[in-house]
Amino acid sequence: MSLVLDPAAQDLLFREARTANTFTDEPVTDEQVQAIYDLVKFGPTAFNQSPLRVVLVRSAEGRERLVQHMAEGNRPKTTTAPLVAILAADNEFHEELPALLPHFPQAKDMFFAERPVRESAAGLNAALQAAYFIIGVRAAGLAAGPMTGYDAAGIQKEFLDDDHTPLMVINIGKPGEDAWFPRSPRLSYDEVIQTV
């Protein structure tokens, strides 16, 4: 049985998509980011908690503040990418649950009254949303360069607050010259899938 998604779309989203390391200077517009969000917001999360929050770094001053917290090898590409997004988990996502889960508003207090429970749920579900976000960037015909090589405490202090945990930084734009490293191997079906 084959996939119903057009093979060209499969290639765009998965087979040909890669982590970009260089970018052209073509801008990424607010309209493109809006279109990405309007697509990926429909990805599922537990209790529809939707804890992902995104900080777009566009200004030169913001870029300078961010780059100082990036690992040395990530600084050049973060400096030159047309747009950089800080993806974070909102540990106070439960405040939105009455609106996001109107048929079960008591979930806010029943399941998420304690901060450690919220942090665990927010981390898992925001990471899931981050994956959707990367697919959305690809669906917009752009390349994503997700990175976790940074000083998380520094980024949190500089751009977020104690209620938000940084998950990753993503460089976004059209791929530039020599944007791709060789593709690394993947595990086979039999190495991953088990039937019991």
Side-chain angles (χ1 to χ4, degrees):
M1 178 176 180
S2 62
L3 300 172
V4 297
L5 187 66
D6 179 78
Q10 295 174 39
D11 289 343
L12 177 72
L13 299 178
F14 294 100
R15 291 191 199 98
E16 300 299 324
R18 309 284 283 285
T19 295
N21 294 286
T22 66
F23 298 89
T24 69
D25 59 2
E26 182 177 330
V28 176
T29 67
D30 289 336
E31 291 77 16
Q32 287 172 300
V33 177
Q34 179 78 53
I36 291 165
Y37 178 72
D38 286 342
L39 177 65
V40 304
K41 69 183 178 184
F42 294 110
T45 57
F47 292 94
N48 197 34
Q49 61 190 246
S50 307
L52 182 70
R53 303 295 180 263
V54 181
V55 176
L56 299 178
V57 182
R58 288 196 180 278
S59 70
E61 181 265 338
R63 189 74 57 107
E64 188 175 309
R65 288 169 47 213
L66 175 60
V67 167
Q68 68 180 336
H69 298 292
M70 301 302 295
E72 190 66 40
N74 290 332
R75 290 179 181 181
K77 50 192 170 186
T78 303
T79 299
T80 59
L83 179 62
V84 183
I86 301 168
L87 275 57
D90 180 359
N91 297 308
E92 297 297 309
F93 69 86
H94 69 307
E95 296 295 345
E96 305 294 338
L97 280 182
L100 293 173
L101 203 64
H103 63 281
F104 188 24
Q106 63 271 32
K108 172 188 173 190
D109 297 316
M110 185 180 293
F111 296 106
F112 301 110
E114 297 185 19
R115 176 71 179 237
V117 173
R118 290 196 306 274
E119 288 178 354
S120 177
L124 173 64
N125 286 279
L128 186 60
Q129 288 186 283
Y132 303 145
F133 187 86
I134 292 168
I135 299 298
V137 168
R138 293 172 175 179
L142 301 168
M147 302 168 292
T148 55
Y150 54 76
D151 171 14
I155 287 179
Q156 184 176 31
K157 183 177 179 183
E158 193 82 38
F159 294 95
L160 304 167
D161 58 33
D162 291 341
D163 290 331
H164 295 81
T165 304
L167 297 174
M168 66 182 66
V169 173
I170 302 182
N171 296 323
I172 303 170
K174 293 283 188 181
E177 190 173 338
D178 299 321
W180 321 117
F181 294 149
R183 185 174 297 280
S184 297
R186 298 297 193 265
L187 295 174
S188 71
Y189 178 91
D190 293 331
E191 292 171 304
V192 174
I193 307 298
Q194 180 183 127
T195 302
V196 294

